[in-house]
Amino acid sequence: MKIILVVLALICLPSLGFSQYEENDWKERDTWMALDTIFNAIGVEVGDYVADIGCHEGYLSVRLSKQIGENGKVFAVDLRTDRLETLNEIAKDRGLHNITTIVGDYDNPNLPRGLLDTVIIMDTYHEMEDYRSILSHVKKALKPGGQIVIIEKLKSRIIGKSRQEQTNAHSLSSKYVKQELQNAGFILRHENNNLGYWENNPDKVIWMLVAYKKN
């Protein structure tokens, strides 16, 4: 059985109400979020175990829950208990029994060790000041050969800027992340620099990196 850890948007944001994270706007988000491409790249299958960290109200958790079926499991992690409580209510209303919520920390997603096949960090990595610690914990949580997937948006106005300038703009280039993954001991497997536009805005190009833990 595969186990997939998904690290989704805003593990480190305190309180922002962007519409793409609220349940009543999920259908609109489906029009620009290339989930099929993402799921195909990481290999989401029935029976997988999945963790969605920085889950907000559970946009990705709910969709992964349906992908993995009753024999799979979603670990939904966020810093805020109110978001997790909302997700629990949404899961109950939709009859989804394979989602477990977890309260995470800024420097530690509090994951099970050595069990995970894939980690996805979506629109979150740029917010992680303690990204080195996060990557270390993620690596410990992965099985040998397990993958980490980082998905971000790159705003056109900060292309070529320093890492700090980019993160100040809530954005990040893949070139910085590739180096940081390598420094953490991951090996790059896949790169996609054209996953569409965040919120259908052509000034916010979505990219994805997939890297794996060798041993």
Side-chain angles (χ1 to χ4, degrees):
M1 178 183 293
K2 283 187 178 180
I3 301 177
I4 295 179
L5 161 69
V6 181
V7 184
L8 178 67
L10 305 179
I11 186 175
C12 295
L13 286 182
S15 177
L16 295 180
F18 296 143
S19 62
Q20 65 263 26
Y21 304 116
E22 297 177 358
E23 183 187 13
N24 59 349
D25 291 292
W26 287 356
K27 288 184 178 180
E28 189 277 333
R29 182 172 179 174
D30 282 337
T31 66
W32 52 264
M33 191 86 258
L35 288 182
D36 287 344
T37 300
I38 293 168
F39 289 168
N40 288 336
I42 65 178
V44 178
E45 299 176 354
V46 172
D48 288 349
Y49 274 39
V50 181
D52 171 10
I53 303 177
C55 60
H56 274 250
E57 295 182 1
Y59 170 80
L60 193 59
S61 292
V62 168
R63 281 144 182 78
L64 285 167
S65 170
K66 295 176 180 178
Q67 287 283 324
I68 63 177
E70 295 181 358
N71 292 328
K73 197 171 187 66
V74 178
F75 298 97
V77 184
D78 204 278
L79 295 174
R80 283 174 42 179
T81 57
D82 61 319
R83 291 171 179 163
L84 298 177
E85 290 168 358
T86 299
L87 174 52
N88 284 331
E89 293 173 0
I90 291 171
K92 182 179 180 180
D93 290 343
R94 298 187 181 206
L96 304 175
H97 305 293
N98 58 356
I99 298 177
T100 298
T101 54
I102 300 173
V103 179
D105 298 318
Y106 283 98
D107 62 347
N108 187 349
N110 296 326
L111 306 172
R113 292 174 62 99
L115 296 177
L116 306 171
D117 286 305
T118 304
V119 175
I120 302 177
I121 306 177
M122 184 188 293
D123 193 36
T124 303
Y125 190 82
H126 69 272
E127 297 289 345
M128 294 178 174
E129 294 183 4
D130 294 319
Y131 63 86
R132 294 181 183 85
S133 178
I134 295 290
L135 291 177
S136 177
H137 285 296
V138 166
K139 192 174 182 182
K140 292 174 183 176
L142 287 169
K143 301 192 308 186
Q147 302 175 111
I148 180 170
V149 180
I150 297 182
I151 300 168
E152 281 284 348
K153 57 182 180 293
L154 179 60
K155 298 177 181 179
S156 58
R157 66 183 174 84
I158 50 84
I159 293 175
K161 301 291 186 180
S162 68
R163 190 187 197 283
Q164 187 63 58
E165 289 173 310
Q166 290 187 354
T167 57
N168 285 345
H170 302 287
S171 182
L172 192 57
S173 168
S174 62
K175 75 172 185 178
Y176 294 113
V177 182
K178 281 191 284 189
Q179 186 60 57
E180 289 157 7
L181 288 172
Q182 292 172 355
N183 291 344
F186 292 100
I187 301 171
L188 186 65
R189 182 182 71 79
H190 175 77
E191 181 173 2
N192 186 334
N193 288 306
N194 187 18
L195 271 175
Y197 304 127
W198 193 266
E199 298 177 319
N200 288 316
N201 185 338
D203 290 325
K204 301 177 181 179
V205 177
I206 304 170
W207 58 261
M208 173 175 65
L209 293 175
V210 182
Y212 68 93
K213 170 184 173 180
K214 187 173 182 180
N215 50 44

